[in-house]
Amino acid sequence: MLISLVRKDLLIVKKYLLIMFIFAIVGPIFISSELKFLNGSFIGFLITVLFLEYIIFNSVSMAEDKYKGSALLCTTPYTRDAVVRAKYLFVLVIFIISLITYTLTASVTPLGLERLNITNVGISLLTLSFFFGVLIPVQFKFGYEKTKMFFFFVVFLTPFIFPTIVQWLQSHNLEMSIMLPLPHIIQVCLLYLISLLITFISMLLSKQIYAKKNL
């Protein structure tokens, strides 16, 4: 059931997928070349995947809002619980595809992209979990039209704000990691556990909101 709903979302945006695939390759290369003084490859991936996720997710939301997709789904055997869970699975699927695309690009391109380590992937996943952990329940609550501009500006400002934050951290000799007196592997595991916890709490909120929503 969940796979069918994710496939449905992919079909909605299928005409954009080739462009998004090209962007997933070119984006990290361009951004990393502009941020050579930082960990440009990682930041390039993070900014690119955030843009990709937002554009694709927003395109689905726009189509569903325009054609009353949520109301139509409720007339099918799909439960509201499944519709909510499929949204989070959709975000994860796009992240995995983006990660595979980046890894393959870094492996074959001569342009100096570095492979992501497990910490980089964890930080990226945590960032997306936090962003979509807020966006999805808010969008379920208030609808696409009332929330699109706020989240658009958040994503639009990310390429300008995030590198500045990283540069500040580096200039003050601070690492982009969990500053706890724990072994590195425990800190990495915490990144993934916190991501999972944020997603779980967000999903519970979304289920409660969507269950009470009149479509």
Side-chain angles (χ1 to χ4, degrees):
M1 181 176 288
L2 291 181
I3 300 300
S4 297
L5 288 169
V6 172
R7 188 185 300 117
K8 178 267 298 179
D9 288 344
L10 289 173
L11 288 174
I12 289 175
V13 295
K14 65 179 181 180
K15 62 182 178 180
Y16 306 116
L17 290 180
L18 179 59
I19 298 174
M20 293 296 100
F21 179 73
I22 295 173
F23 179 66
I25 296 173
V26 176
I29 295 174
F30 174 76
I31 296 172
S32 63
S33 67
E34 296 295 316
L35 300 174
K36 293 180 180 179
F37 57 93
L38 299 172
N39 187 351
S41 296
F42 161 59
I43 296 176
F45 170 76
L46 179 55
I47 292 175
T48 299
V49 75
L50 181 60
F51 265 81
L52 277 174
E53 291 270 19
Y54 177 75
I55 292 170
I56 293 175
F57 187 88
N58 226 35
S59 298
V60 173
S61 298
M62 181 174 62
E64 289 183 339
D65 181 75
K66 181 179 180 180
Y67 298 107
K68 307 300 181 184
S70 296
L72 292 174
L73 277 176
C74 288
T75 64
T76 68
Y78 296 113
T79 64
R80 293 196 179 196
D81 183 84
V83 171
V84 171
R85 287 187 286 126
K87 292 297 181 185
Y88 291 87
L89 180 59
F90 181 66
V91 171
L92 179 61
V93 167
I94 299 300
F95 176 76
I96 292 173
I97 293 173
S98 300
L99 179 59
I100 293 173
T101 302
Y102 175 90
T103 302
L104 292 175
T105 304
S107 299
V108 302
T109 182
L111 299 177
L113 277 184
E114 298 178 2
R115 290 191 181 186
L116 301 177
N117 57 42
I118 193 170
T119 303
N120 296 151
V121 176
I123 293 173
S124 301
L125 192 60
L126 178 60
T127 303
L128 289 173
S129 297
F130 180 79
F131 180 79
F132 284 96
V134 175
L135 186 152
I136 296 176
V138 169
Q139 198 171 91
F140 273 127
K141 177 69 175 180
F142 299 104
Y144 164 76
E145 283 295 332
K146 293 181 180 179
T147 59
K148 64 179 181 180
M149 292 308 299
F150 173 77
F151 288 103
F152 168 78
F153 281 114
V154 171
V155 174
F156 177 78
L157 292 173
T158 299
F160 304 98
I161 296 175
F162 193 75
T164 303
I165 294 173
V166 175
Q167 189 175 15
W168 182 86
L169 290 172
Q170 290 186 345
S171 67
H172 289 75
N173 297 318
L174 298 175
E175 297 182 357
M176 288 183 61
S177 60
I178 302 172
M179 309 302 288
L180 293 173
L182 296 171
H184 178 69
I185 187 62
I186 301 298
Q187 295 187 27
V188 171
C189 289
L190 280 175
L191 287 173
Y192 291 89
L193 287 174
I194 294 172
S195 300
L196 184 62
L197 180 61
I198 290 173
T199 301
F200 179 72
I201 293 173
S202 175
M203 191 183 298
L204 287 180
L205 288 173
S206 295
K207 287 179 179 181
Q208 292 177 1
I209 291 168
Y210 197 52
K212 299 176 182 178
K213 193 174 183 67
N214 292 321
L215 302 175

